[in-house]
Amino acid sequence: MAKKKNKFVSAFEQFGRSFLLPVSVLPGAGIIKGIGTAFSNTNTLKMFPALNNSVVQFIMKFFIALGDTAFDNLPIIFAVGVAVGLAKREKGSAALSGLLGFMVLHYILNFLLKFSGKLVDTSKMSSNDAKLALSNAMQTKVLGIQTMDLSVFGGIIVGIVVYFVHKWAVKVQLPTVVGFFSGPRFVPIATMVVMAAVASGLFFIWPPIQKGISVLSVFILKSGPIGTFLYGLLERALLPFGLHHGLNWPVRTTELGGAWEIGGKRVVGTINAYLASLADPNIKHVDPNITRFNGGKFVYFMFGLSGAAYAMYKTADEKKRKVVGSLLFAAAGTSFLTGITEPIEFTFLFVAPILYIVHAFLAGSALFVMHMLGAGVATPTGHGFINWVIYGVLQGPKTKYWLVPLVGIVYFFIYYVVFRFMIVKFDLKTPGREDSDEVRLSNKNEARAKYGVEIATIGKETKEAKVEEASSDEVMETVPKTKEGIHKQAVALVKAHGGPDNIEAVDACITRLRINVKDKSLVDQNTITKKLGAMGFAESDMQMQSIYGAHANVLKMEIQDMLGMEE
């Protein structure tokens, strides 16, 4: 039974990680569109009349169109991105197959709708009437093709189907006479056939499925602030296991997050609806049901975790406060400005898990409070000060952006009081409260790495060194800037994971290097965190997760090259 559970968790984790590639485009596209809407909305133009000229407004409309390129085509981005994210090798073939499979899906659905007489004729309708008629019939237009409205689910379905087809077809060896089409070249061909069958099946089963999704989305919306609290609690609880992506992105980009009529168009997913609300001049206040899973994150990312850091600082040994303070405040500053919370969250997760449990409940309550107050501020990702300004302040009063600092200051003190009480009451060994000088000294580099202040790596040396001499006994002091330094760090990490023969797979998400091993007793966690620069370390069955921030993907590629592994 346990084995099945592990396989399920592993599959869910892999599925969640496959979203990272397609959604990685959203923050950039969102910022571009956010700037465009911020400096073209009526409130901003009233405040700054100088912006209301043809040149500036042309540029802002240009930005909006550029951002819409990504958000209006999320289904196809997911089709290609999920296929590539799940594929272990020959990713180019997977990408082409994802694109082709997506087009086959909608061309076949269009054909079947025509053949069955169900295709809505909008040729004699006005634009608004056509949109309403298509919405009522659960149809839409994708890449100019009138088809069934599968939204982002269509892209996800294509990506998953392509993954299984790719996994099988890439190994197929055809007879000599048609041998040219073997392997990666066979994948797109097989995808066309399989997706035609899948499209035919979806033609019959998708309408009831879509009605079920609509019912579920209505249930989620009607769950009110209590549902918002539970979402926030669960999302933080899944973070240490790397499973939160599988919860976040379906809500943000599909009908599971809700569906709204905005500007005469049906919009699904909380982020899509939020950006559409910002762009609609007729909307005076953003619906808090759209931002319920986002608004509270600004509160605890920017203020709550800063209060937790201050509590750990104030409860540290006075002799250690100077060092501890520099680390804690650097981590808190990173969370406040950019919304990158792992350095500080994983600090108290590792040294005092009970604090993380408290944090998860407080995070859920922050979402609850902001929902109750009607906050209307959100962001595609990164709930820090920078995105609060872009997606909140610059968008004018429709976002009620002022609720973030007002509630945030309260939560700063809540986190401070609760964390200080817990630390003192249970004598938790947070940074600066270690029992001995020996522990303090040996944990100094680990703490620095966790907080991202002096992340260790090999490669600082300027002299020539042979690859074979790279040793995990060396203590890292800076992120390597040279190819040689990165290679030496990768060599040391392979050694710390039991050597090449113990490593089965190497992967990475946004911040974590994920290495699957055969025997985890051979993994030297102490070396990885204290000497090889990891900000933190976690296990998920046989997968070892080392937190390296943006450096994780660089290390992944270097280790894969060293071991002759394909993605």
Side-chain angles (χ1 to χ4, degrees), residues 127-385:
S127 177
N128 288 334
D129 288 343
K131 290 177 181 177
L132 181 61
L134 289 173
S135 178
N136 290 335
M138 295 189 294
Q139 295 179 22
T140 188
K141 287 190 176 181
V142 177
L143 299 178
I145 310 164
Q146 188 170 324
T147 178
M148 294 174 67
D149 188 2
L150 276 66
S151 70
V152 174
F153 283 115
I156 295 173
I157 291 169
V158 170
I160 294 172
V161 171
V162 168
Y163 162 66
F164 285 108
V165 172
H166 179 276
K167 187 177 181 180
W168 162 73
V170 77
K171 301 175 183 177
V172 171
Q173 187 64 43
L174 299 174
T176 305
V177 67
V178 288
F180 173 80
F181 297 104
S182 297
R185 298 183 186 92
F186 183 58
V187 179
I189 299 171
T191 296
M192 291 181 66
V193 176
V194 174
M195 279 310 307
V198 170
S200 300
L202 285 173
F203 177 76
F204 295 101
I205 69 172
W206 185 254
I209 290 176
Q210 188 170 40
K211 288 179 181 178
I213 293 172
S214 296
V215 171
L216 180 59
S217 67
V218 170
F219 172 77
I220 292 173
L221 289 174
K222 287 187 175 180
S223 66
I226 296 299
T228 305
F229 166 77
L230 294 175
Y231 175 90
L233 171 63
L234 181 60
E235 195 264 347
R236 284 297 98 180
L238 290 176
L239 175 68
F241 306 100
L243 302 177
H244 55 301
H245 303 300
L247 177 68
N248 281 332
W249 291 108
V251 168
R252 295 181 187 183
T253 58
T254 75
E255 195 170 346
L256 285 175
W260 293 266
E261 290 289 335
I262 301 174
K265 182 179 179 182
R266 184 173 182 271
V267 184
V268 300
T270 58
I271 292 303
N272 300 326
Y274 181 66
L275 293 174
S277 298
L278 295 183
D280 190 337
N282 297 317
I283 293 179
K284 302 303 180 183
H285 298 289
V286 177
D287 183 351
N289 284 320
I290 293 174
T291 61
R292 59 189 289 201
F293 301 133
N294 268 162
K297 288 190 174 184
F298 285 107
V299 170
Y300 67 82
F301 275 40
M302 293 169 59
F303 297 94
L305 290 173
S306 296
Y310 188 55
M312 288 188 279
Y313 167 75
K314 291 294 287 185
T315 55
D317 188 316
E318 290 187 6
K319 297 178 181 178
K320 304 175 183 178
R321 280 187 185 175
K322 185 175 181 180
V323 173
V324 169
S326 66
L327 303 176
L328 285 168
F329 296 148
T334 299
S335 179
F336 182 88
L337 288 173
T338 68
I340 297 174
T341 62
E342 284 192 332
I344 191 165
E345 283 182 312
F346 275 83
T347 295
F348 53 76
L349 171 65
F350 292 140
V351 300
I354 191 173
L355 289 179
Y356 192 86
I357 295 172
V358 171
H359 165 54
F361 276 91
L362 289 176
S365 73
L367 267 65
F368 172 88
V369 170
M370 290 292 275
H371 187 190
M372 289 289 289
L373 293 175
V377 61
T379 173
T381 187
H383 297 75
F385 178 80

Side-chain angles (χ1 to χ4, degrees), residues 530-545:
K530 291 187 178 180
K531 297 183 179 181
L532 300 184
M535 297 182 230
F537 184 89
E539 288 184 17
S540 179
D541 194 22
M542 301 304 287
Q543 185 182 86
M544 306 296 110
Q545 302 177 5

Side-chain angles (χ1 to χ4, degrees), residues 20-63:
L20 294 178
L21 181 60
V23 303
S24 64
V25 71
L26 299 187
I31 289 174
I32 292 171
K33 183 172 181 177
I35 292 172
T37 56
F39 292 105
S40 63
N41 72 53
T42 53
N43 293 309
T44 304
L45 296 180
K46 287 179 183 178
M47 294 173 60
F48 305 101
L51 296 174
N52 195 12
N53 67 75
S54 57
V55 175
V56 173
Q57 290 309 301
F58 170 81
I59 295 172
M60 294 304 107
K61 298 297 183 184
F62 184 88
F63 280 6

Side-chain angles (χ1 to χ4, degrees), residues 303-470:
F303 297 94
L305 290 173
S306 296
Y310 188 55
M312 288 188 279
Y313 167 75
K314 291 294 287 185
T315 55
D317 188 316
E318 290 187 6
K319 297 178 181 178
K320 304 175 183 178
R321 280 187 185 175
K322 185 175 181 180
V323 173
V324 169
S326 66
L327 303 176
L328 285 168
F329 296 148
T334 299
S335 179
F336 182 88
L337 288 173
T338 68
I340 297 174
T341 62
E342 284 192 332
I344 191 165
E345 283 182 312
F346 275 83
T347 295
F348 53 76
L349 171 65
F350 292 140
V351 300
I354 191 173
L355 289 179
Y356 192 86
I357 295 172
V358 171
H359 165 54
F361 276 91
L362 289 176
S365 73
L367 267 65
F368 172 88
V369 170
M370 290 292 275
H371 187 190
M372 289 289 289
L373 293 175
V377 61
T379 173
T381 187
H383 297 75
F385 178 80
I386 296 171
N387 277 355
W388 173 66
V389 171
I390 294 173
Y391 292 103
V393 178
L394 294 180
Q395 305 303 330
K398 67 163 60 178
T399 66
K400 295 186 179 180
Y401 61 85
W402 55 84
L403 287 172
V404 171
L406 289 178
V407 177
I409 292 171
V410 174
Y411 264 80
F412 174 90
F413 288 105
I414 291 175
Y415 266 79
Y416 171 74
V417 171
V418 171
F419 268 60
R420 184 186 177 97
F421 171 78
M422 295 288 291
I423 292 169
V424 175
K425 175 71 174 178
F426 299 106
D427 191 23
L428 301 176
K429 302 304 178 184
T430 49
R433 292 175 59 83
E434 298 88 352
D435 292 327
S436 67
D437 290 339
E438 182 181 359
V439 173
R440 176 180 61 83
L441 293 173
S442 65
N443 278 347
K444 182 177 181 181
N445 285 323
E446 179 182 1
R448 288 181 184 275
K450 281 184 177 179
Y451 290 103
V453 179
E454 290 185 10
I455 298 176
T457 58
I458 299 171
K460 188 177 181 181
E461 305 88 343
T462 57
K463 62 182 181 180
E464 291 288 325
K466 294 181 180 180
V467 170
E468 291 77 8
E469 293 176 352

